[in-house]
Amino acid sequence: MIAACGLDCSTCPGYRCRTGTDPCLSRMVAADWSADLHRPIKPEEAYCNGCSWTGPGRLSPYCEACDIRQCVYTKGFSTCAECSAFAGCTILQAFAVDNPSAMATLQNLRLR
């Protein structure tokens, strides 16, 4: 599952927690997210159904607040790769600095 930004949701620990079958992973993800976000996240809240999820359930706190996700879905796209402003997008370019593999994924999607 490729997120709007090009990240692979299946590699996210929060996405792997969505089944609720690994309480140790849920506790670890909750602790990590709590530290990163400077607010408490309970283990039962430490899961994500993936960036493209629109049904009942949950997105990670990162996906909920993601400017890229908001932009992509407001425009009716699945990923940034579909956008004509792809090459000049300052939000995406800033994200790509720390996530070069996501940018490579989006560029490969553009070639299809």
Side-chain angles (χ1 to χ4, degrees), residues 14-27 43 46-47:
Y15 185 75
R16 294 194 319 264
C17 285
R18 76 192 184 291
T19 61
T21 58
D22 188 345
C24 291
L25 181 60
S26 295
R27 285 192 298 274
Y47 72 92

Side-chain angles (χ1 to χ4, degrees), residues 3-85:
C5 64
L7 289 175
D8 181 351
C9 290
S10 66
T11 65
C12 172
Y15 185 75
R16 294 194 319 264
C17 285
R18 76 192 184 291
T19 61
T21 58
D22 188 345
C24 291
L25 181 60
S26 295
R27 285 192 298 274
M28 181 193 73
V29 171
D32 288 347
W33 287 359
S34 294
D36 286 350
L37 298 169
H38 307 291
R39 64 180 174 94
I41 304 289
K42 297 176 186 173
E44 60 270 17
E45 299 171 329
Y47 72 92
C48 182
N49 286 322
C51 176
S52 63
W53 186 258
T54 58
R58 174 166 175 76
L59 291 172
S60 78
Y62 302 99
C63 293
E64 286 176 347
C66 179
D67 291 336
I68 293 172
R69 182 180 183 278
Q70 175 74 21
C71 179
V72 164
Y73 296 129
T74 296
K75 292 179 178 178
F77 300 141
S78 295
T79 70
C80 293
E82 299 170 66
C83 185
S84 62

